[in-house]
Amino acid sequence: MTDTRRPATNANPSDAPSYRYDAKLANAIEAKWHDRWDEEHTFWAPNPTGLLSEGFERVADEPKLYVLDMFPYPSGAGLHVGHPLGYIATDVYARFQRMAGRNVLHAMGYDAFGLPAEQYAVQTGQHPRVTTEANIATMRRQLRALGLGHDSRRSIATTDVSYYRWTQWIFLQIFDSWYDQEADRARPIAELVAELESGARDAAPSTDGRPWSELDDVERRRVVDGFRLAYIAEAPVNWCPALGTVLANEEVTSEGRSERGNHPVFKRPLKQWMLRITAYAERLLADLDMLDWTDSIKQMQRNWIGRSEGARVRFPVVNHEGLDIEVFTTRPDTLFGATYMVLAPEHPLVDEIIPVDWPGGEQFDEWLETPAAWRGVFGADVSPTEAVTKYRRFATAKSDVERQVETREKTGVFTGAFAFNPTNDQPIPIFVADYVLMGYGTGAIMAVPAHDERDFEFARELEIPIVGVVRPPDEWLEARSLTPDVPAAEWPEPFVGDGVGMNSTNDQVSLDGLDTPAAKRAIGEWLRTSGYGEPTVNYKLRDWLFSRQRYWGEPFPIVYDETGLPVALPESMLPVELPEIGDFEPRIQAEDDDSVPEPPLARADGWATVELDLGDGPKPYVRELNTMPQWAGSCWYYLRYLDPTNEDRMVDPAVERYWMQSRRADGAPAAGGVDLYVGGVEHAVLHLLYARFWHKVLFDLGYVSTPEPFQRLFNQGMIQAYAYADDRGVYVEAADVEQRDGGYFAGTIPVTRLYGKMGKSLRNAVTPDEIYRDYGADTLRLYEMFMGPLDQSRPWNTADIIGVHRFLQRLWRIVVDEDTGAVRVSSDPADEETRKLLHRTIAAVRDDMATMSFNTAIAALFTFNNHLWRVVEERGAAPAEAVESLILMVAPLAPHVGEELWERIGHTTSLTYVPYPAADPALLVDEQVEIPVQLNGKVRAHVHVAPDADEAATEAAARADARVGELLAGKTVRKVVVVPGRLVNFVVG
RNA sequence: GCCCGGAUGGCGGAAUCGGCAGACGCGACCGACUCAAAAUCGGUUGCCGCGAGGCGUGUGGGUUCGAGUCCCACUCCGGGCACCA
């Protein structure tokens, strides 16, 4: 196999026929049609109203279709052939749907804010705007060459001031909203203020019990700010010193490194903007059911949201009247078995509960002396405070990477304090251990070692009592050679499944004998009545950390007054333009530097502070100096495509309704507005979760009409490629590798073949430009669609391209004489065979195009193309009806050749809106079908029958066949299975 | 560890409901054209076997007249999550 050798398609062009479809001709045709489409505004999709409504009457009766790509980040690296796969697919689909009578909206924009542009700008010393615009121009040119049918009027970049003005506007809507739990939706903050003022809502829970009327202005603002969907919080955040910025949880890998750049990330407390995505956890989870997404993506979102049902339980701290430690547990039924508690090292209550000395003596009967192991490994003479302090230092010094790599041996230290197990008032010790995470639940747990792996391990380590409160099923015990009377402390491992309650009775409640679900209900009831807790639902999802210490992002439309509290700028002051500064470099910090990071915008002289009149006279204000994360702009671009020139609104409501009110395949109203969204699986949680969240806020506030943005999501696979490394493991340029003598060689150096992502790092990138040069864009399009199913990853193999190129050559040759350039199409009617094959092809291709099975659509077109070529060879020309249909069917896949041939056979207008061929059902049925005859399930003969022959007729036809007669001679037929139209099977003895 | 997805010729891949495995393309082989080669065109091509025939969809079992497709148990590969109480 010679993957990398370029077939000499045009090796000797001077010798080839003058009018052959080769790369040179293809390039000329393609350039011509790009210009024509631009001039004729071929792909402009009219809106029902507004500036882009010209020509709407033409499509007023057509159903709309909104096809969307995940818009690209315009990187400086340029494209390789893997990048446009999804764009080609959506273009083929959109072109097909236009011909099938839909008003199709398909546009392309650029997600242009963000880290890489800024880093590149820093490296080259140029302003990020300059490099970004250059990158966009390059990418536009490369994508234009593919002939993508986008409505160019709707192209936006998130960095356009006219775009991010509305990103800022949306942020203001989020800032000016709160989540009404009873109504289960976001509402304007003004309505909350009204409720607080009228007394309809009690401010007390957030003000130490003081009523609204007794609060001063600043206190009132604090209360209201505490409700907002966008709020400032001092919280442990992901700090990436190497990038000089904080990151969202979603941007940190499981190895505790930044997704961009793979730098270490540390937790540190910082004051940052947060968006209250957690308020939407349940809806983000539940509404997944309405979407046509793959199960795996839905599952990834479900896992990220991480819903679990359980209970909150409050444990009173011994000797601290009124102080409770609240925990979340999914197994409240094991509460009687809680023999200790654990707080996360960062838990705020740790400092409050630590006693001066280790408990001992008469203090507690059970704990005559604090065991040495509980005091930590820091020496026997340290105090509880010292032990905990040292342990905390030990825990935080471990980076997330180390926590990951280590064998997860449980470590921890006793705080010296106790809490009462509320079921029996027994004091249980409270530990600090880093196996409990501050970021989940309440940052504290009740530990039930008999029924939890981690607690069991920890309890074994520190010799803490293990009390079984769930009797395992007999099989579990038998598998471990245990009997029911063996105490849990002697089990080899904890029992974590469902069983039957035991040792769980007090004066008020008994779980003994109850199965686990019943026990959960009973203890939930008891918690509620006793006041110790209540059943609840907990989510892994955290609020979205929304500020970044970067230059190249959207400025917040926020200023701070003398109180230090945030003030939203009025809509009339938008946009807040990104100021020009000389030095946009982030301040990179050392890993141990814990000074407050300085955002680049702090260096914007004359901008960072500003005098404004926000209604109470001119006053000095300090601007918010952080910028928004890259995800902000990508959260709503699909809405701006709808109405990109609207200066008064984010999107006109009538336009929004027109494009976003959708129906599902079965005709039912869809939850999401975008009919088809195609993109890579890498955005499964980040972008797709954030965009759904923003959409739901906008839905609650009445700015969009659907609860979800994207009805159908399609994840295209990745184009991968072989890569080659020498014996040092260094990658060599894949294009230079040859296969010979059963091995691979770069020159004379033997190399080994590997397989992976296409790109610079593996030195195996193939660029679209080289494929245009050697074959043309239509060949590239066709090849990418023919490689395999769109949702699968598949290897690029340049050698295979020749196949689809030959297809186009043959198609061309059917219509155009290669030597003379003359068009040859016969006006004679097509023969029977051709017509039947044509209509069968139409039926198959239409079907496949609608389901995006482009690879099999192309296979069917190959077959028909080959047939028509034989007709041309036999008769000198192919019948016009067949040629026209073939051109129209190929056109969405290879639009330039399609248009050119369409024009050459005599049409003067683009085929973009010509109806896609429809199959005549009468031509799809055969007079005779050949069906197999099996003996004991093995095919032994074939017979011809009418397609509608019934069982008896089919069996009779089979028996009448001479070959079948021979086979059955002398055998006893025990059973005959007849599937009319499919087969006959004789079961013989 | 948990949750998804996948495994079919030399290669990419086809195969509605369980009903002729390998459509279509690449490659390979043979032939036409050519002084020759490339390009182009035509034919052959799952494996074993001269043939009759046999064997074949990751492995082992099962259901069925019939299994790539359904069920059970596994292997390997890819992706996601991971001390989530």
Side-chain angles (χ1 to χ4, degrees):
Chain A
M1 191 173 60
T2 50
D3 323 286
T4 54
R5 190 197 65 192
R6 182 180 306 140
T9 330
N10 304 313
N12 193 352
S14 61
D15 233 25
S18 314
Y19 298 90
R20 172 163 292 175
Y21 181 83
D22 57 14
K24 199 175 146 216
L25 180 58
N27 290 158
I29 291 170
E30 285 158 12
K32 167 184 161 185
W33 286 97
H34 295 153
D35 292 343
R36 276 280 285 280
W37 291 331
D38 279 352
E39 285 159 21
E40 296 177 3
H41 306 155
T42 306
F43 305 110
W44 286 16
N47 276 353
T49 177
L51 288 172
L52 307 186
S53 62
E54 185 197 325
F56 184 72
E57 49 315 324
R58 173 169 62 80
V59 296
D61 297 333
E62 295 181 351
K64 68 88 190 184
L65 186 80
Y66 189 1
V67 177
L68 182 70
D69 298 282
M70 289 186 187
F71 66 167
Y73 181 84
S75 99
L79 296 179
H80 62 65
V81 290
H83 290 118
L85 177 67
Y87 306 148
I88 296 171
T90 49
D91 185 55
V92 172
Y93 186 71
R95 285 174 180 273
F96 167 72
Q97 294 291 0
R98 281 189 197 103
M99 297 173 80
R102 306 272 204 125
N103 184 25
V104 176
L105 175 55
H106 194 200
M108 180 62 74
Y110 298 90
D111 185 18
F113 272 131
L115 247 62
E118 190 178 286
Q119 285 168 330
Y120 183 71
V122 167
Q123 280 164 25
T124 60
Q126 299 178 77
H127 193 285
R129 170 161 291 114
V130 175
T131 56
T132 299
E133 278 168 9
N135 290 346
I136 288 176
T138 304
M139 196 169 257
R140 273 220 172 92
R141 185 177 46 73
Q142 283 188 304
L143 292 181
R144 185 176 191 267
L146 278 168
L148 304 176
H150 298 144
D151 184 340
S152 54
R153 300 168 302 172
R154 299 174 189 262
S155 182
I156 53 96
T158 54
T159 47
D160 296 340
V161 178
S162 59
Y163 180 84
Y164 74 66
R165 174 203 195 285
W166 293 105
T167 310
Q168 293 171 335
W169 178 85
I170 295 172
F171 177 82
L172 289 180
Q173 307 314 306
I174 297 171
F175 179 77
D176 278 331
S177 304
W178 61 293
Y179 204 84
D180 182 342
Q181 296 294 340
E182 284 96 72
D184 200 21
R185 64 182 181 86
R187 293 172 60 194
I189 204 82
E191 296 179 14
L192 172 76
V193 175
E195 285 186 15
L196 289 166
E197 276 172 0
S198 71
R201 181 170 295 268
D202 190 5
S206 36
T207 59
D208 307 327
R210 292 160 61 211
W212 178 261
S213 55
E214 289 177 21
L215 303 178
D216 64 28
D217 281 355
V218 173
E219 287 171 320
R220 286 180 176 178
R221 280 172 62 188
R222 282 216 173 86
V223 169
V224 171
D225 285 354
F227 278 89
R228 294 179 188 277
L229 291 186
Y231 62 97
I232 296 170
E234 167 110 25
V237 299
N238 304 302
W239 168 246
C240 182
L243 293 174
T245 187
V246 298
L247 297 169
N249 290 341
E250 290 81 359
E251 293 170 304
V252 180
T253 65
S254 59
E255 280 90 40
R257 303 183 83 92
S258 63
E259 202 173 56
R260 287 217 183 266
N262 203 33
H263 305 293
V265 172
F266 300 85
K267 286 275 183 206
R268 62 175 285 197
L270 278 175
K271 242 184 180 170
Q272 297 291 326
W273 280 99
M274 307 289 289
L275 299 191
R276 208 178 297 280
I277 190 172
T278 51
Y280 284 86
E282 190 60 46
R283 283 165 63 188
L284 287 168
L285 183 70
D287 290 356
L288 285 171
D289 293 341
M290 307 190 292
L291 302 177
D292 302 321
W293 296 13
T294 60
D295 286 336
S296 69
I297 298 280
K298 287 187 185 183
Q299 204 51 45
M300 281 162 75
Q301 292 221 345
R302 287 192 191 109
N303 289 342
W304 190 262
I305 295 166
R307 181 186 204 273
S308 48
E309 285 182 21
R312 296 212 168 212
V313 185
R314 285 176 285 278
F315 288 69
V317 181
V318 174
N319 291 336
H320 286 75
E321 194 64 37
L323 181 65
D324 293 337
I325 294 173
E326 192 175 42
V327 304
F328 172 75
T329 176
T330 54
R331 291 298 299 271
D333 59 301
T334 63
L335 183 51
F336 282 85
T339 55
Y340 67 103
M341 297 187 76
V342 183
L343 302 182
E346 309 92 327
H347 199 286
L349 284 183
V350 173
D351 294 316
E352 281 189 52
I353 61 171
I354 299 178
V356 178
D357 291 312
W358 297 112
E362 298 113 48
Q363 199 168 0
F364 297 104
D365 292 344
E366 290 84 352
W367 320 107
L368 289 174
E369 194 180 338
T370 303
W374 291 20
R375 303 186 193 186
V377 291
F378 313 107
D381 53 345
V382 298
S383 69
T385 307
E386 278 177 87
V388 169
T389 305
K390 284 185 173 166
Y391 181 74
R392 280 173 148 177
R393 203 172 300 146
F394 156 79
T396 47
K398 272 201 281 186
S399 73
D400 285 355
V401 185
E402 287 168 318
R403 288 197 195 188
Q404 183 66 30
V405 173
E406 272 177 22
T407 51
R408 288 202 183 141
E409 195 180 302
K410 298 284 176 294
T411 59
V413 61
F414 181 39
T415 60
F418 293 84
F420 291 112
N421 182 326
T423 59
N424 53 20
D425 289 336
Q426 290 296 304
I428 56 174
I430 304 170
F431 289 80
V432 169
D434 66 358
Y435 81 89
V436 172
L437 311 171
M438 195 59 220
Y440 182 76
T442 62
I445 62 160
M446 67 177 212
V448 186
H451 305 294
D452 181 276
E453 301 271 3
R454 297 146 300 181
D455 298 345
F456 185 85
E457 216 182 300
F458 189 78
R460 277 282 163 89
E461 198 82 34
L462 299 195
E463 292 172 23
I464 303 168
I466 297 170
V467 177
V469 290
V470 180
R471 194 172 64 239
D474 294 340
E475 311 85 73
W476 190 89
L477 293 168
E478 279 159 21
R480 287 153 191 81
S481 311
L482 300 169
T483 53
D485 52 302
V486 175
E490 288 163 35
W491 291 348
E493 58 192 295
F495 171 68
V496 299
D498 283 8
V500 177
M502 62 178 185
N503 305 328
S504 297
T505 299
N506 65 19
D507 296 345
Q508 291 149 2
V509 66
S510 174
L511 309 181
D512 294 349
L514 298 181
D515 62 27
T516 297
K520 283 180 176 171
R521 283 192 295 275
I523 195 74
E525 193 53 39
W526 178 80
L527 284 169
R528 221 195 283 274
T529 53
S530 65
Y532 281 115
E534 57 280 319
T536 186
V537 173
N538 193 58
Y539 300 91
K540 271 201 290 191
L541 186 69
R542 307 282 86 207
D543 275 341
W544 177 11
L545 173 61
F546 195 67
S547 38
R548 299 290 183 276
Q549 291 70 51
R550 311 299 298 195
Y551 173 72
W552 196 229
E554 298 88 346
F556 283 78
I558 292 286
V559 293
Y560 299 87
D561 63 12
E562 69 285 355
T563 66
L565 294 175
V567 180
L569 293 173
E571 199 181 325
S572 60
M573 289 190 185
L574 300 184
V576 178
E577 287 197 47
L578 196 55
E580 294 304 319
I581 60 174
D583 172 15
F584 32 74
E585 209 165 334
R587 287 291 174 262
I588 290 154
Q589 295 191 343
E591 291 182 3
D592 56 356
D593 181 351
D594 54 4
S595 63
V596 175
E598 179 207 69
L601 288 183
R603 289 170 244 142
D605 297 335
W607 184 86
T609 56
V610 63
E611 192 172 88
L612 297 169
D613 184 350
L614 298 180
D616 48 356
K619 280 198 326 191
Y621 292 91
V622 179
R623 286 192 193 269
E624 169 62 55
L625 300 173
N626 290 307
T627 52
M628 299 188 201
Q630 196 184 344
W631 312 106
S634 59
C635 267
W636 72 283
Y637 68 106
Y638 59 96
L639 292 172
R640 194 59 181 173
Y641 283 165
L642 304 180
D643 202 6
T645 56
N646 196 326
E647 292 186 6
D648 305 321
R649 289 171 179 274
M650 169 184 81
V651 53
D652 182 287
V655 172
E656 188 275 334
R657 278 195 304 274
Y658 175 75
W659 289 111
M660 296 293 282
Q661 293 289 322
S662 304
R663 304 221 153 246
R664 299 193 342 204
D666 59 11
V674 175
D675 298 277
L676 175 67
Y677 193 21
V678 175
V681 70
E682 67 274 16
H683 292 113
V685 282
L686 288 153
H687 158 64
L688 287 170
L689 197 63
Y690 295 150
R692 293 180 65 216
F693 163 50
W694 276 36
H695 192 92
K696 284 184 181 306
V697 176
L698 293 171
F699 174 70
D700 286 353
L701 299 177
Y703 295 113
V704 297
S705 60
T706 62
E708 285 284 331
F710 317 120
Q711 181 58 36
R712 180 169 176 215
L713 176 70
F714 191 99
N715 297 110
Q716 89 270 23
M718 220 184 317
I719 291 188
Q720 299 183 293
Y722 290 112
Y724 302 87
D726 63 21
D727 57 3
R728 295 165 301 166
V730 177
Y731 288 101
V732 301
E733 203 58 55
D736 300 338
V737 174
E738 284 178 76
Q739 185 184 28
R740 60 170 188 258
D741 313 329
Y744 298 95
F745 296 88
T748 55
I749 306 158
V751 293
T752 46
R753 191 171 80 164
L754 302 135
Y755 180 63
K757 251 180 166 164
M758 189 176 277
K760 267 189 179 164
S761 54
L762 300 186
R763 300 188 71 181
N764 60 352
V766 178
T767 68
D769 290 340
E770 52 193 288
I771 306 300
Y772 301 151
R773 186 193 62 213
D774 294 342
Y775 302 97
D778 278 331
T779 299
L780 175 64
R781 291 173 58 111
L782 210 50
Y783 174 60
E784 296 213 2
M785 294 299 99
F786 186 56
M787 289 170 82
L790 200 55
D791 55 356
Q792 259 170 47
S793 290
R794 72 300 296 268
W796 177 269
N797 190 357
T798 302
D800 287 348
I801 290 181
I802 191 67
V804 290
H805 189 66
R806 279 181 195 140
F807 167 82
L808 292 177
Q809 266 182 348
R810 206 166 296 159
L811 170 68
W812 181 264
R813 199 183 303 120
I814 288 169
V815 182
V816 179
D817 186 300
E818 285 188 334
D819 296 312
T820 66
V823 173
R824 47 173 173 200
V825 176
S826 159
S827 53
D828 298 343
D831 60 277
E832 187 68 9
E833 191 197 353
T834 300
R835 294 186 73 210
K836 280 199 159 178
L837 185 58
L838 170 63
H839 284 265
R840 233 178 301 218
T841 304
I842 291 171
V845 171
R846 248 195 120 96
D847 232 52
D848 286 343
M849 295 294 273
T851 57
M852 297 204 294
S853 309
F854 302 126
N855 56 327
T856 49
I858 293 168
L861 290 169
F862 257 102
T863 305
F864 188 64
N865 200 47
N866 289 342
H867 173 80
L868 269 198
W869 173 241
R870 272 191 295 276
V871 171
V872 172
E873 284 198 308
E874 284 164 20
R875 308 187 191 174
E881 81 177 273
V883 170
E884 291 216 349
S885 296
L886 178 59
I887 292 170
L888 291 174
M889 283 193 282
V890 172
L893 294 151
H896 314 90
V897 181
E899 293 272 26
E900 182 67 21
L901 291 175
W902 188 247
E903 189 181 61
R904 289 197 183 213
I905 63 173
H907 298 276
T908 51
T909 54
S910 166
L911 51 61
T912 305
Y913 297 97
V914 174
Y916 206 77
D920 178 353
L923 291 168
L924 299 178
V925 284
D926 287 302
E927 280 151 38
Q928 290 263 295
V929 290
E930 192 189 61
I931 62 166
V933 179
Q934 298 182 334
L935 239 71
N936 291 341
K938 293 196 190 268
V939 178
R940 294 298 179 205
H942 289 91
V943 294
H944 290 270
V945 296
D948 54 353
D950 63 11
E951 271 191 48
T954 307
E955 183 179 341
R959 285 184 183 276
D961 184 77
R963 166 107 177 113
V964 175
E966 268 172 51
L967 289 162
L968 292 179
K971 300 203 171 97
T972 318
V973 177
R974 283 211 288 235
K975 185 175 175 181
V976 184
V977 181
V978 181
V979 185
R982 304 291 318 208
L983 58 48
V984 180
N985 185 16
F986 291 101
V987 184
V988 297

